[in-house]
Amino acid sequence: MGGELRSAEGWQQASQYTEQLETQENRALVSSVKTYERVDGATITGDAAAGEDVVVALPLESDTGRPFTYVQSAEAGENGTFEITVPYATDDQLGPEDGYTDSAVTATDDYTVLVGDELDAAAVSSAPIENGEIDLSELDADVRTTGTTDVPEPAIYDGDERTVDLDEN
């Protein structure tokens, strides 16, 4: 079965309860559960030089207000094309009233696509998020081209393709 996983419903932060419990004589284990759903995912496609690294990144915010970045990477093929399937939409068009789940995370911007040599997905993932956007100003990498694309929510359920146009840096 193909597809991508995305967070489907909220989970409670155990840390807010842990502090209270540590002051009590009898300590108890506090746990949390994350639930994921399988979606077909939308495929972001584009053109780059053969063998170049491609990183897609999306700033997200959890239902508890915690910002984080979803990142995925690939290498452009021999013909210079790339395809990366992503599980998160950049909008919130569909919900339980439409027969879908209520996602626990919300995109705060469009997907950013970076192309270059020796791009480090972990470095992109750890870049700060400022005002809902990923701040890549301190990224120490040879980024040759960049682009952005939206991914409407129906696209992740239908497995649609989104082509990104890249601009030279």
Side-chain angles (χ1 to χ4, degrees), residues 24-134:
Q24 297 175 2
E25 188 173 311
N26 295 327
R27 294 186 184 180
L29 175 65
V30 176
S31 62
S32 62
V33 175
K34 292 183 183 182
T35 305
Y36 294 87
E37 71 176 325
R38 183 169 298 280
V39 294
D40 287 337
T43 301
I44 297 175
T45 64
D47 294 313
E52 278 194 306
D53 295 324
V54 180
V55 175
V56 298
L58 179 67
L60 297 164
E61 186 173 285
S62 72
D63 59 353
T64 61
R66 182 181 62 87
F68 64 100
T69 304
Y70 170 81
V71 175
Q72 197 170 149
S73 62
E75 186 176 293
E78 290 180 12
N79 62 357
T81 62
F82 64 86
E83 294 183 352
I84 298 177
T85 302
V86 297
Y88 291 104
T90 55
D91 63 23
D92 196 15
Q93 292 180 21
L94 305 171
E97 65 279 357
D98 303 306
Y100 297 91
T101 60
D102 188 10
S103 181
V105 298
T106 304
T108 57
D109 200 10
D110 287 344
Y111 279 91
T112 298
V113 181
L114 307 167
V115 178
D117 291 322
E118 298 183 26
L119 289 178
D120 182 10
V124 174
S125 178
S126 62
I129 298 175
E130 301 291 336
N131 298 319
E133 297 178 0
I134 304 168

Side-chain angles (χ1 to χ4, degrees), residues 142-163:
D142 181 19
V143 179
R144 187 179 64 78
T145 58
T146 59
T148 61
T149 186
D150 67 329
V151 174
E153 194 162 23
I156 65 159
Y157 289 108
D158 299 337
D160 291 347
E161 186 175 294
R162 305 296 292 176
T163 301

